[in-house]
Amino acid sequence: MCTMIAERIEVKGSAKETTRWFPIDHAYVSFDHPFDLQVEHALNIDFVNEAIGPGSRVAVELTEQAARDLVDAILLALDRAERSGATKAPSQPG
């Protein structure tokens, strides 16, 4: 059964396809059926720039555990960067 769990957020970054980098301005995050990963449901992230066209998309499909591990790794890296003084501003409370 489809979960219909999906979020769209604005992001500022870059993504790389086969031969080029391109700016991304949105990410679609869903927990639903993946296209390729062989599990019933996955955490699916599409980084896109719709203004450039349909080829400007990078998609990942992660198992639930892999997604949680990735979130932990991202937060750990950001915390370490903040403690080292590499970031411009401390994280804001939720």
Side-chain angles (χ1 to χ4, degrees):
M1 175 187 332
C2 294
T3 68
M4 307 303 284
I5 298 170
E7 302 292 334
R8 178 182 187 264
I9 63 167
E10 290 185 20
V11 298
K12 182 176 181 179
S14 294
K16 187 175 183 192
E17 59 183 28
T18 306
T19 58
R20 67 178 175 116
W21 285 90
F22 60 94
I24 56 172
D25 57 8
H26 288 89
Y28 293 90
V29 180
S30 66
F31 188 80
D32 214 326
H33 301 296
F35 284 93
D36 187 66
L37 188 65
Q38 298 299 304
V39 296
E40 179 69 18
H41 294 108
L43 192 290
N44 311 297
I45 306 171
D46 291 299
F47 296 101
V48 301
N49 186 327
E50 294 169 350
I52 296 175
S56 299
R57 172 180 180 255
V58 172
V60 294
E61 298 174 340
L62 302 169
T63 64
E64 182 179 345
Q65 186 59 55
R68 292 181 187 281
D69 292 346
L70 179 61
V71 167
D72 290 344
I74 290 170
L75 293 175
L76 180 62
L78 289 172
D79 287 346
R80 290 180 65 193
E82 185 178 316
R83 285 194 305 274
S84 75
T87 59
K88 291 182 179 176
S91 60
Q92 302 296 314

